[in-house]
Amino acid sequence: MQKMKSLGSVGNSSGRLSTEENNYEEQDDPEISRLDISTLQAREEEIERKKMEVKEKVELQLGRAEEETRRLAQIWEELEVMADPLKKEVGNVRKRIDMANRELKSLGQSCQKKEKEYKEALESLNERSKEKAQLVSTLMELMAESEKLRMQKLQELSKHIVALR
């Protein structure tokens, strides 16, 4: 009988005895049944008490965590406020530097393009100057040759005029 009682209380996970077992125990020994019921009730009360203790501890920890979260948020805001003026100035300076870099890049490209055009124009000017110098030299030679030929012609004509007289 004792074995049946322990099987009944261990076998049922809810801690309550089935109707059949309950009837069986009531018939055999009502005092033992009351003892088992009071033991079960004491166990349930103990479980409930421990459950409440755990719940209180969890709530306490949650409260602490929330407080720490609030403190960290406040510290974070203070840090942002401290860094904000410098952050704005740094941001503005960086933007201006970026703009200057873009302008310098385009101006540098323009300068390189114009330098290239200048070199090409200078080279073309030098070539034309050389060509002109050669042409002037050729012209001077031709004029000298022409003058020489005309002088020879004039001398021949002068000799003919003197011979006709």
Side-chain angles (χ1 to χ4, degrees), residues 17-54:
L17 301 174
S18 68
T19 312
E20 212 173 275
E21 292 170 342
N22 198 11
N23 287 339
Y24 176 76
E25 287 180 9
E26 285 179 17
Q27 291 171 359
D28 285 347
D29 198 356
E31 283 184 33
I32 295 175
S33 169
R34 285 186 204 138
L35 183 63
D36 286 341
I37 291 172
S38 65
T39 304
L40 287 175
Q41 286 176 343
R43 284 183 188 166
E44 283 184 28
E45 288 172 3
E46 180 69 21
I47 289 171
E48 191 64 31
R49 186 182 56 77
K50 285 185 180 183
K51 181 179 167 184
M52 292 303 288
E53 286 176 6
V54 169

PDB file of all heavy atoms in Angstrom, residues 17-54:
ATOM      1  N   LEU A  17      -3.429  13.382  -7.293  1.00  0.00           N
ATOM      2  CA  LEU A  17      -3.700  11.956  -7.481  1.00  0.00           C
ATOM      3  C   LEU A  17      -4.910  11.791  -8.376  1.00  0.00           C
ATOM      4  O   LEU A  17      -5.839  12.599  -8.358  1.00  0.00           O
ATOM      5  CB  LEU A  17      -3.957  11.293  -6.128  1.00  0.00           C
ATOM      6  CG  LEU A  17      -2.821  11.384  -5.110  1.00  0.00           C
ATOM      7  CD1 LEU A  17      -3.291  10.811  -3.766  1.00  0.00           C
ATOM      8  CD2 LEU A  17      -1.617  10.632  -5.608  1.00  0.00           C
ATOM      9  N   SER A  18      -4.879  10.760  -9.162  1.00  0.00           N
ATOM     10  CA  SER A  18      -6.035  10.498 -10.017  1.00  0.00           C
ATOM     11  C   SER A  18      -7.219  10.090  -9.131  1.00  0.00           C
ATOM     12  O   SER A  18      -7.058   9.716  -7.971  1.00  0.00           O
ATOM     13  CB  SER A  18      -5.707   9.406 -11.034  1.00  0.00           C
ATOM     14  OG  SER A  18      -5.533   8.170 -10.363  1.00  0.00           O
ATOM     15  N   THR A  19      -8.398  10.108  -9.691  1.00  0.00           N
ATOM     16  CA  THR A  19      -9.611   9.817  -8.928  1.00  0.00           C
ATOM     17  C   THR A  19      -9.589   8.391  -8.396  1.00  0.00           C
ATOM     18  O   THR A  19      -9.946   8.138  -7.238  1.00  0.00           O
ATOM     19  CB  THR A  19     -10.861   9.997  -9.831  1.00  0.00           C
ATOM     20  OG1 THR A  19     -10.758  11.224 -10.496  1.00  0.00           O
ATOM     21  CG2 THR A  19     -12.133   9.947  -9.026  1.00  0.00           C
ATOM     22  N   GLU A  20      -9.111   7.477  -9.210  1.00  0.00           N
ATOM     23  CA  GLU A  20      -9.063   6.083  -8.807  1.00  0.00           C
ATOM     24  C   GLU A  20      -8.103   5.898  -7.631  1.00  0.00           C
ATOM     25  O   GLU A  20      -8.429   5.252  -6.641  1.00  0.00           O
ATOM     26  CB  GLU A  20      -8.577   5.249 -10.009  1.00  0.00           C
ATOM     27  CG  GLU A  20      -9.151   3.875 -10.062  1.00  0.00           C
ATOM     28  CD  GLU A  20      -8.739   3.216 -11.362  1.00  0.00           C
ATOM     29  OE1 GLU A  20      -9.426   3.443 -12.376  1.00  0.00           O
ATOM     30  OE2 GLU A  20      -7.713   2.522 -11.353  1.00  0.00           O
ATOM     31  N   GLU A  21      -6.939   6.492  -7.724  1.00  0.00           N
ATOM     32  CA  GLU A  21      -5.958   6.365  -6.654  1.00  0.00           C
ATOM     33  C   GLU A  21      -6.443   7.062  -5.393  1.00  0.00           C
ATOM     34  O   GLU A  21      -6.233   6.604  -4.280  1.00  0.00           O
ATOM     35  CB  GLU A  21      -4.614   6.965  -7.102  1.00  0.00           C
ATOM     36  CG  GLU A  21      -3.948   6.178  -8.203  1.00  0.00           C
ATOM     37  CD  GLU A  21      -2.758   6.899  -8.796  1.00  0.00           C
ATOM     38  OE1 GLU A  21      -2.644   8.128  -8.603  1.00  0.00           O
ATOM     39  OE2 GLU A  21      -1.934   6.248  -9.449  1.00  0.00           O
ATOM     40  N   ASN A  22      -7.075   8.211  -5.613  1.00  0.00           N
ATOM     41  CA  ASN A  22      -7.592   8.993  -4.500  1.00  0.00           C
ATOM     42  C   ASN A  22      -8.632   8.167  -3.727  1.00  0.00           C
ATOM     43  O   ASN A  22      -8.615   8.139  -2.499  1.00  0.00           O
ATOM     44  CB  ASN A  22      -8.190  10.291  -5.016  1.00  0.00           C
ATOM     45  CG  ASN A  22      -8.331  11.326  -3.918  1.00  0.00           C
ATOM     46  OD1 ASN A  22      -7.800  11.135  -2.825  1.00  0.00           O
ATOM     47  ND2 ASN A  22      -9.029  12.391  -4.220  1.00  0.00           N
ATOM     48  N   ASN A  23      -9.539   7.528  -4.449  1.00  0.00           N
ATOM     49  CA  ASN A  23     -10.566   6.699  -3.816  1.00  0.00           C
ATOM     50  C   ASN A  23      -9.928   5.541  -3.072  1.00  0.00           C
ATOM     51  O   ASN A  23     -10.353   5.179  -1.978  1.00  0.00           O
ATOM     52  CB  ASN A  23     -11.559   6.154  -4.858  1.00  0.00           C
ATOM     53  CG  ASN A  23     -12.472   7.248  -5.360  1.00  0.00           C
ATOM     54  OD1 ASN A  23     -12.636   8.269  -4.681  1.00  0.00           O
ATOM     55  ND2 ASN A  23     -13.072   7.035  -6.519  1.00  0.00           N
ATOM     56  N   TYR A  24      -8.933   4.940  -3.672  1.00  0.00           N
ATOM     57  CA  TYR A  24      -8.250   3.796  -3.077  1.00  0.00           C
ATOM     58  C   TYR A  24      -7.603   4.194  -1.756  1.00  0.00           C
ATOM     59  O   TYR A  24      -7.729   3.496  -0.769  1.00  0.00           O
ATOM     60  CB  TYR A  24      -7.202   3.255  -4.056  1.00  0.00           C
ATOM     61  CG  TYR A  24      -6.385   2.127  -3.496  1.00  0.00           C
ATOM     62  CD1 TYR A  24      -6.928   0.840  -3.381  1.00  0.00           C
ATOM     63  CD2 TYR A  24      -5.071   2.351  -3.063  1.00  0.00           C
ATOM     64  CE1 TYR A  24      -6.165  -0.195  -2.868  1.00  0.00           C
ATOM     65  CE2 TYR A  24      -4.317   1.317  -2.558  1.00  0.00           C
ATOM     66  CZ  TYR A  24      -4.867   0.041  -2.461  1.00  0.00           C
ATOM     67  OH  TYR A  24      -4.107  -0.969  -1.947  1.00  0.00           O
ATOM     68  N   GLU A  25      -6.942   5.347  -1.754  1.00  0.00           N
ATOM     69  CA  GLU A  25      -6.253   5.794  -0.551  1.00  0.00           C
ATOM     70  C   GLU A  25      -7.240   6.221   0.517  1.00  0.00           C
ATOM     71  O   GLU A  25      -7.013   6.009   1.701  1.00  0.00           O
ATOM     72  CB  GLU A  25      -5.291   6.951  -0.880  1.00  0.00           C
ATOM     73  CG  GLU A  25      -4.078   6.488  -1.635  1.00  0.00           C
ATOM     74  CD  GLU A  25      -3.141   7.612  -1.951  1.00  0.00           C
ATOM     75  OE1 GLU A  25      -3.329   8.740  -1.445  1.00  0.00           O
ATOM     76  OE2 GLU A  25      -2.190   7.362  -2.701  1.00  0.00           O
ATOM     77  N   GLU A  26      -8.327   6.848   0.103  1.00  0.00           N
ATOM     78  CA  GLU A  26      -9.317   7.271   1.087  1.00  0.00           C
ATOM     79  C   GLU A  26      -9.925   6.060   1.810  1.00  0.00           C
ATOM     80  O   GLU A  26     -10.217   6.119   2.992  1.00  0.00           O
ATOM     81  CB  GLU A  26     -10.426   8.087   0.420  1.00  0.00           C
ATOM     82  CG  GLU A  26     -10.002   9.480   0.074  1.00  0.00           C
ATOM     83  CD  GLU A  26     -11.128  10.251  -0.599  1.00  0.00           C
ATOM     84  OE1 GLU A  26     -12.301   9.848  -0.516  1.00  0.00           O
ATOM     85  OE2 GLU A  26     -10.813  11.287  -1.199  1.00  0.00           O
ATOM     86  N   GLN A  27     -10.069   5.009   1.071  1.00  0.00           N
ATOM     87  CA  GLN A  27     -10.650   3.821   1.690  1.00  0.00           C
ATOM     88  C   GLN A  27      -9.669   3.157   2.645  1.00  0.00           C
ATOM     89  O   GLN A  27     -10.044   2.659   3.682  1.00  0.00           O
ATOM     90  CB  GLN A  27     -11.062   2.816   0.612  1.00  0.00           C
ATOM     91  CG  GLN A  27     -12.224   3.281  -0.208  1.00  0.00           C
ATOM     92  CD  GLN A  27     -12.474   2.373  -1.401  1.00  0.00           C
ATOM     93  OE1 GLN A  27     -11.763   1.397  -1.617  1.00  0.00           O
ATOM     94  NE2 GLN A  27     -13.513   2.705  -2.163  1.00  0.00           N
ATOM     95  N   ASP A  28      -8.366   3.155   2.271  1.00  0.00           N
ATOM     96  CA  ASP A  28      -7.385   2.463   3.101  1.00  0.00           C
ATOM     97  C   ASP A  28      -7.039   3.248   4.355  1.00  0.00           C
ATOM     98  O   ASP A  28      -7.092   2.742   5.459  1.00  0.00           O
ATOM     99  CB  ASP A  28      -6.097   2.197   2.327  1.00  0.00           C
ATOM    100  CG  ASP A  28      -6.268   1.060   1.330  1.00  0.00           C
ATOM    101  OD1 ASP A  28      -7.279   0.353   1.422  1.00  0.00           O
ATOM    102  OD2 ASP A  28      -5.380   0.909   0.475  1.00  0.00           O
ATOM    103  N   ASP A  29      -6.598   4.490   4.101  1.00  0.00           N
ATOM    104  CA  ASP A  29      -6.098   5.238   5.250  1.00  0.00           C
ATOM    105  C   ASP A  29      -6.324   6.724   5.028  1.00  0.00           C
ATOM    106  O   ASP A  29      -5.548   7.371   4.350  1.00  0.00           O
ATOM    107  CB  ASP A  29      -4.626   4.914   5.428  1.00  0.00           C
ATOM    108  CG  ASP A  29      -4.140   5.270   6.799  1.00  0.00           C
ATOM    109  OD1 ASP A  29      -4.912   5.833   7.591  1.00  0.00           O
ATOM    110  OD2 ASP A  29      -2.965   4.982   7.059  1.00  0.00           O
ATOM    111  N   PRO A  30      -7.398   7.255   5.596  1.00  0.00           N
ATOM    112  CA  PRO A  30      -7.682   8.672   5.369  1.00  0.00           C
ATOM    113  C   PRO A  30      -6.615   9.604   5.943  1.00  0.00           C
ATOM    114  O   PRO A  30      -6.337  10.656   5.393  1.00  0.00           O
ATOM    115  CB  PRO A  30      -9.014   8.902   6.061  1.00  0.00           C
ATOM    116  CG  PRO A  30      -9.470   7.629   6.645  1.00  0.00           C
ATOM    117  CD  PRO A  30      -8.436   6.605   6.393  1.00  0.00           C
ATOM    118  N   GLU A  31      -5.951   9.216   7.014  1.00  0.00           N
ATOM    119  CA  GLU A  31      -4.938  10.089   7.600  1.00  0.00           C
ATOM    120  C   GLU A  31      -3.700  10.172   6.721  1.00  0.00           C
ATOM    121  O   GLU A  31      -3.086  11.228   6.597  1.00  0.00           O
ATOM    122  CB  GLU A  31      -4.571   9.599   9.000  1.00  0.00           C
ATOM    123  CG  GLU A  31      -5.608   9.946  10.014  1.00  0.00           C
ATOM    124  CD  GLU A  31      -5.170   9.545  11.408  1.00  0.00           C
ATOM    125  OE1 GLU A  31      -3.957   9.596  11.693  1.00  0.00           O
ATOM    126  OE2 GLU A  31      -6.043   9.197  12.176  1.00  0.00           O
ATOM    127  N   ILE A  32      -3.312   9.054   6.127  1.00  0.00           N
ATOM    128  CA  ILE A  32      -2.148   9.048   5.248  1.00  0.00           C
ATOM    129  C   ILE A  32      -2.449   9.903   4.022  1.00  0.00           C
ATOM    130  O   ILE A  32      -1.606  10.664   3.560  1.00  0.00           O
ATOM    131  CB  ILE A  32      -1.776   7.614   4.847  1.00  0.00           C
ATOM    132  CG1 ILE A  32      -1.329   6.838   6.080  1.00  0.00           C
ATOM    133  CG2 ILE A  32      -0.693   7.610   3.793  1.00  0.00           C
ATOM    134  CD1 ILE A  32      -1.044   5.385   5.823  1.00  0.00           C
ATOM    135  N   SER A  33      -3.641   9.802   3.525  1.00  0.00           N
ATOM    136  CA  SER A  33      -4.054  10.595   2.374  1.00  0.00           C
ATOM    137  C   SER A  33      -3.992  12.077   2.700  1.00  0.00           C
ATOM    138  O   SER A  33      -3.506  12.875   1.907  1.00  0.00           O
ATOM    139  CB  SER A  33      -5.457  10.185   1.964  1.00  0.00           C
ATOM    140  OG  SER A  33      -5.979  11.068   1.048  1.00  0.00           O
ATOM    141  N   ARG A  34      -4.465  12.462   3.870  1.00  0.00           N
ATOM    142  CA  ARG A  34      -4.402  13.871   4.283  1.00  0.00           C
ATOM    143  C   ARG A  34      -2.959  14.317   4.424  1.00  0.00           C
ATOM    144  O   ARG A  34      -2.618  15.460   4.081  1.00  0.00           O
ATOM    145  CB  ARG A  34      -5.140  14.060   5.603  1.00  0.00           C
ATOM    146  CG  ARG A  34      -6.606  14.040   5.452  1.00  0.00           C
ATOM    147  CD  ARG A  34      -7.289  14.368   6.764  1.00  0.00           C
ATOM    148  NE  ARG A  34      -8.616  13.791   6.736  1.00  0.00           N
ATOM    149  CZ  ARG A  34      -9.202  13.175   7.729  1.00  0.00           C
ATOM    150  NH1 ARG A  34      -8.583  13.032   8.878  1.00  0.00           N
ATOM    151  NH2 ARG A  34     -10.404  12.703   7.591  1.00  0.00           N
ATOM    152  N   LEU A  35      -2.117  13.445   4.912  1.00  0.00           N
ATOM    153  CA  LEU A  35      -0.691  13.748   5.061  1.00  0.00           C
ATOM    154  C   LEU A  35      -0.055  13.988   3.691  1.00  0.00           C
ATOM    155  O   LEU A  35       0.695  14.933   3.512  1.00  0.00           O
ATOM    156  CB  LEU A  35       0.007  12.598   5.797  1.00  0.00           C
ATOM    157  CG  LEU A  35       1.488  12.802   6.088  1.00  0.00           C
ATOM    158  CD1 LEU A  35       1.710  13.994   7.013  1.00  0.00           C
ATOM    159  CD2 LEU A  35       2.063  11.541   6.723  1.00  0.00           C
ATOM    160  N   ASP A  36      -0.399  13.092   2.740  1.00  0.00           N
ATOM    161  CA  ASP A  36       0.118  13.254   1.380  1.00  0.00           C
ATOM    162  C   ASP A  36      -0.370  14.561   0.770  1.00  0.00           C
ATOM    163  O   ASP A  36       0.387  15.284   0.120  1.00  0.00           O
ATOM    164  CB  ASP A  36      -0.321  12.082   0.487  1.00  0.00           C
ATOM    165  CG  ASP A  36       0.445  10.805   0.808  1.00  0.00           C
ATOM    166  OD1 ASP A  36       1.521  10.908   1.437  1.00  0.00           O
ATOM    167  OD2 ASP A  36      -0.030   9.728   0.417  1.00  0.00           O
ATOM    168  N   ILE A  37      -1.623  14.878   0.966  1.00  0.00           N
ATOM    169  CA  ILE A  37      -2.197  16.114   0.418  1.00  0.00           C
ATOM    170  C   ILE A  37      -1.521  17.321   1.046  1.00  0.00           C
ATOM    171  O   ILE A  37      -1.140  18.271   0.358  1.00  0.00           O
ATOM    172  CB  ILE A  37      -3.725  16.160   0.638  1.00  0.00           C
ATOM    173  CG1 ILE A  37      -4.397  15.105  -0.234  1.00  0.00           C
ATOM    174  CG2 ILE A  37      -4.275  17.538   0.330  1.00  0.00           C
ATOM    175  CD1 ILE A  37      -5.886  14.930   0.031  1.00  0.00           C
ATOM    176  N   SER A  38      -1.328  17.295   2.332  1.00  0.00           N
ATOM    177  CA  SER A  38      -0.675  18.431   2.986  1.00  0.00           C
ATOM    178  C   SER A  38       0.779  18.548   2.539  1.00  0.00           C
ATOM    179  O   SER A  38       1.305  19.644   2.374  1.00  0.00           O
ATOM    180  CB  SER A  38      -0.790  18.336   4.501  1.00  0.00           C
ATOM    181  OG  SER A  38      -0.089  17.209   4.977  1.00  0.00           O
ATOM    182  N   THR A  39       1.443  17.387   2.308  1.00  0.00           N
ATOM    183  CA  THR A  39       2.826  17.409   1.812  1.00  0.00           C
ATOM    184  C   THR A  39       2.857  18.011   0.419  1.00  0.00           C
ATOM    185  O   THR A  39       3.711  18.838   0.106  1.00  0.00           O
ATOM    186  CB  THR A  39       3.413  15.982   1.786  1.00  0.00           C
ATOM    187  OG1 THR A  39       3.311  15.404   3.073  1.00  0.00           O
ATOM    188  CG2 THR A  39       4.845  15.995   1.324  1.00  0.00           C
ATOM    189  N   LEU A  40       1.925  17.586  -0.415  1.00  0.00           N
ATOM    190  CA  LEU A  40       1.843  18.139  -1.769  1.00  0.00           C
ATOM    191  C   LEU A  40       1.561  19.633  -1.733  1.00  0.00           C
ATOM    192  O   LEU A  40       2.160  20.415  -2.481  1.00  0.00           O
ATOM    193  CB  LEU A  40       0.766  17.419  -2.580  1.00  0.00           C
ATOM    194  CG  LEU A  40       1.096  16.009  -3.037  1.00  0.00           C
ATOM    195  CD1 LEU A  40      -0.112  15.375  -3.722  1.00  0.00           C
ATOM    196  CD2 LEU A  40       2.282  16.034  -3.992  1.00  0.00           C
ATOM    197  N   GLN A  41       0.654  20.045  -0.871  1.00  0.00           N
ATOM    198  CA  GLN A  41       0.341  21.465  -0.758  1.00  0.00           C
ATOM    199  C   GLN A  41       1.553  22.245  -0.279  1.00  0.00           C
ATOM    200  O   GLN A  41       1.849  23.339  -0.771  1.00  0.00           O
ATOM    201  CB  GLN A  41      -0.846  21.680   0.196  1.00  0.00           C
ATOM    202  CG  GLN A  41      -2.171  21.285  -0.403  1.00  0.00           C
ATOM    203  CD  GLN A  41      -3.309  21.414   0.615  1.00  0.00           C
ATOM    204  OE1 GLN A  41      -3.087  21.499   1.824  1.00  0.00           O
ATOM    205  NE2 GLN A  41      -4.542  21.398   0.097  1.00  0.00           N
ATOM    206  N   ALA A  42       2.287  21.666   0.667  1.00  0.00           N
ATOM    207  CA  ALA A  42       3.497  22.337   1.164  1.00  0.00           C
ATOM    208  C   ALA A  42       4.522  22.467   0.043  1.00  0.00           C
ATOM    209  O   ALA A  42       5.173  23.507  -0.100  1.00  0.00           O
ATOM    210  CB  ALA A  42       4.082  21.558   2.339  1.00  0.00           C
ATOM    211  N   ARG A  43       4.645  21.398  -0.760  1.00  0.00           N
ATOM    212  CA  ARG A  43       5.571  21.452  -1.892  1.00  0.00           C
ATOM    213  C   ARG A  43       5.148  22.517  -2.900  1.00  0.00           C
ATOM    214  O   ARG A  43       5.973  23.275  -3.412  1.00  0.00           O
ATOM    215  CB  ARG A  43       5.653  20.091  -2.579  1.00  0.00           C
ATOM    216  CG  ARG A  43       6.469  19.084  -1.829  1.00  0.00           C
ATOM    217  CD  ARG A  43       6.564  17.805  -2.615  1.00  0.00           C
ATOM    218  NE  ARG A  43       7.180  16.756  -1.839  1.00  0.00           N
ATOM    219  CZ  ARG A  43       7.152  15.494  -2.157  1.00  0.00           C
ATOM    220  NH1 ARG A  43       6.504  15.097  -3.252  1.00  0.00           N
ATOM    221  NH2 ARG A  43       7.749  14.604  -1.400  1.00  0.00           N
ATOM    222  N   GLU A  44       3.855  22.546  -3.192  1.00  0.00           N
ATOM    223  CA  GLU A  44       3.349  23.554  -4.141  1.00  0.00           C
ATOM    224  C   GLU A  44       3.581  24.966  -3.605  1.00  0.00           C
ATOM    225  O   GLU A  44       3.972  25.867  -4.342  1.00  0.00           O
ATOM    226  CB  GLU A  44       1.858  23.325  -4.413  1.00  0.00           C
ATOM    227  CG  GLU A  44       1.590  22.185  -5.359  1.00  0.00           C
ATOM    228  CD  GLU A  44       0.112  22.036  -5.701  1.00  0.00           C
ATOM    229  OE1 GLU A  44      -0.625  23.052  -5.673  1.00  0.00           O
ATOM    230  OE2 GLU A  44      -0.298  20.913  -5.971  1.00  0.00           O
ATOM    231  N   GLU A  45       3.346  25.159  -2.305  1.00  0.00           N
ATOM    232  CA  GLU A  45       3.579  26.465  -1.696  1.00  0.00           C
ATOM    233  C   GLU A  45       5.059  26.833  -1.767  1.00  0.00           C
ATOM    234  O   GLU A  45       5.419  27.987  -2.043  1.00  0.00           O
ATOM    235  CB  GLU A  45       3.089  26.477  -0.247  1.00  0.00           C
ATOM    236  CG  GLU A  45       1.584  26.467  -0.131  1.00  0.00           C
ATOM    237  CD  GLU A  45       1.111  26.285   1.314  1.00  0.00           C
ATOM    238  OE1 GLU A  45       1.977  26.225   2.234  1.00  0.00           O
ATOM    239  OE2 GLU A  45      -0.100  26.214   1.517  1.00  0.00           O
ATOM    240  N   GLU A  46       5.930  25.850  -1.517  1.00  0.00           N
ATOM    241  CA  GLU A  46       7.381  26.073  -1.604  1.00  0.00           C
ATOM    242  C   GLU A  46       7.774  26.455  -3.034  1.00  0.00           C
ATOM    243  O   GLU A  46       8.541  27.393  -3.249  1.00  0.00           O
ATOM    244  CB  GLU A  46       8.135  24.815  -1.165  1.00  0.00           C
ATOM    245  CG  GLU A  46       9.635  24.936  -1.205  1.00  0.00           C
ATOM    246  CD  GLU A  46      10.188  25.889  -0.160  1.00  0.00           C
ATOM    247  OE1 GLU A  46       9.501  26.166   0.854  1.00  0.00           O
ATOM    248  OE2 GLU A  46      11.316  26.371  -0.364  1.00  0.00           O
ATOM    249  N   ILE A  47       7.211  25.721  -3.997  1.00  0.00           N
ATOM    250  CA  ILE A  47       7.499  26.030  -5.418  1.00  0.00           C
ATOM    251  C   ILE A  47       7.005  27.427  -5.755  1.00  0.00           C
ATOM    252  O   ILE A  47       7.712  28.216  -6.394  1.00  0.00           O
ATOM    253  CB  ILE A  47       6.850  24.964  -6.344  1.00  0.00           C
ATOM    254  CG1 ILE A  47       7.593  23.640  -6.197  1.00  0.00           C
ATOM    255  CG2 ILE A  47       6.838  25.435  -7.788  1.00  0.00           C
ATOM    256  CD1 ILE A  47       6.912  22.464  -6.901  1.00  0.00           C
ATOM    257  N   GLU A  48       5.823  27.759  -5.317  1.00  0.00           N
ATOM    258  CA  GLU A  48       5.255  29.090  -5.582  1.00  0.00           C
ATOM    259  C   GLU A  48       6.101  30.182  -4.927  1.00  0.00           C
ATOM    260  O   GLU A  48       6.356  31.231  -5.511  1.00  0.00           O
ATOM    261  CB  GLU A  48       3.801  29.140  -5.079  1.00  0.00           C
ATOM    262  CG  GLU A  48       3.021  30.349  -5.527  1.00  0.00           C
ATOM    263  CD  GLU A  48       2.825  30.425  -7.027  1.00  0.00           C
ATOM    264  OE1 GLU A  48       2.739  29.387  -7.720  1.00  0.00           O
ATOM    265  OE2 GLU A  48       2.781  31.570  -7.532  1.00  0.00           O
ATOM    266  N   ARG A  49       6.547  29.903  -3.673  1.00  0.00           N
ATOM    267  CA  ARG A  49       7.381  30.879  -2.974  1.00  0.00           C
ATOM    268  C   ARG A  49       8.697  31.081  -3.721  1.00  0.00           C
ATOM    269  O   ARG A  49       9.138  32.217  -3.939  1.00  0.00           O
ATOM    270  CB  ARG A  49       7.643  30.397  -1.531  1.00  0.00           C
ATOM    271  CG  ARG A  49       8.385  31.402  -0.676  1.00  0.00           C
ATOM    272  CD  ARG A  49       8.660  30.859   0.723  1.00  0.00           C
ATOM    273  NE  ARG A  49       9.389  29.600   0.771  1.00  0.00           N
ATOM    274  CZ  ARG A  49      10.714  29.489   0.572  1.00  0.00           C
ATOM    275  NH1 ARG A  49      11.431  30.547   0.334  1.00  0.00           N
ATOM    276  NH2 ARG A  49      11.296  28.304   0.635  1.00  0.00           N
ATOM    277  N   LYS A  50       9.324  29.993  -4.154  1.00  0.00           N
ATOM    278  CA  LYS A  50      10.591  30.105  -4.894  1.00  0.00           C
ATOM    279  C   LYS A  50      10.376  30.810  -6.236  1.00  0.00           C
ATOM    280  O   LYS A  50      11.201  31.608  -6.670  1.00  0.00           O
ATOM    281  CB  LYS A  50      11.202  28.723  -5.109  1.00  0.00           C
ATOM    282  CG  LYS A  50      11.815  28.160  -3.850  1.00  0.00           C
ATOM    283  CD  LYS A  50      12.518  26.848  -4.099  1.00  0.00           C
ATOM    284  CE  LYS A  50      13.131  26.323  -2.804  1.00  0.00           C
ATOM    285  NZ  LYS A  50      13.883  25.102  -3.022  1.00  0.00           N
ATOM    286  N   LYS A  51       9.229  30.502  -6.836  1.00  0.00           N
ATOM    287  CA  LYS A  51       8.896  31.155  -8.099  1.00  0.00           C
ATOM    288  C   LYS A  51       8.786  32.671  -7.904  1.00  0.00           C
ATOM    289  O   LYS A  51       9.300  33.455  -8.702  1.00  0.00           O
ATOM    290  CB  LYS A  51       7.580  30.581  -8.629  1.00  0.00           C
ATOM    291  CG  LYS A  51       7.119  31.155  -9.945  1.00  0.00           C
ATOM    292  CD  LYS A  51       5.808  30.475 -10.357  1.00  0.00           C
ATOM    293  CE  LYS A  51       5.144  31.198 -11.480  1.00  0.00           C
ATOM    294  NZ  LYS A  51       3.850  30.623 -11.835  1.00  0.00           N
ATOM    295  N   MET A  52       8.149  33.081  -6.846  1.00  0.00           N
ATOM    296  CA  MET A  52       8.003  34.506  -6.540  1.00  0.00           C
ATOM    297  C   MET A  52       9.367  35.137  -6.250  1.00  0.00           C
ATOM    298  O   MET A  52       9.647  36.269  -6.666  1.00  0.00           O
ATOM    299  CB  MET A  52       7.044  34.710  -5.356  1.00  0.00           C
ATOM    300  CG  MET A  52       5.606  34.337  -5.668  1.00  0.00           C
ATOM    301  SD  MET A  52       4.930  35.219  -7.070  1.00  0.00           S
ATOM    302  CE  MET A  52       4.759  36.840  -6.380  1.00  0.00           C
ATOM    303  N   GLU A  53      10.219  34.403  -5.508  1.00  0.00           N
ATOM    304  CA  GLU A  53      11.567  34.923  -5.228  1.00  0.00           C
ATOM    305  C   GLU A  53      12.348  35.145  -6.523  1.00  0.00           C
ATOM    306  O   GLU A  53      12.979  36.181  -6.706  1.00  0.00           O
ATOM    307  CB  GLU A  53      12.330  33.951  -4.318  1.00  0.00           C
ATOM    308  CG  GLU A  53      11.879  33.944  -2.881  1.00  0.00           C
ATOM    309  CD  GLU A  53      12.604  32.893  -2.048  1.00  0.00           C
ATOM    310  OE1 GLU A  53      13.547  32.244  -2.569  1.00  0.00           O
ATOM    311  OE2 GLU A  53      12.230  32.708  -0.873  1.00  0.00           O
ATOM    312  N   VAL A  54      12.290  34.159  -7.403  1.00  0.00           N
ATOM    313  CA  VAL A  54      12.988  34.273  -8.690  1.00  0.00           C
ATOM    314  C   VAL A  54      12.409  35.444  -9.487  1.00  0.00           C
ATOM    315  O   VAL A  54      13.152  36.232 -10.084  1.00  0.00           O
ATOM    316  CB  VAL A  54      12.913  32.946  -9.488  1.00  0.00           C
ATOM    317  CG1 VAL A  54      13.391  33.131 -10.914  1.00  0.00           C
ATOM    318  CG2 VAL A  54      13.708  31.861  -8.781  1.00  0.00           C
TER     319      VAL A  54
END
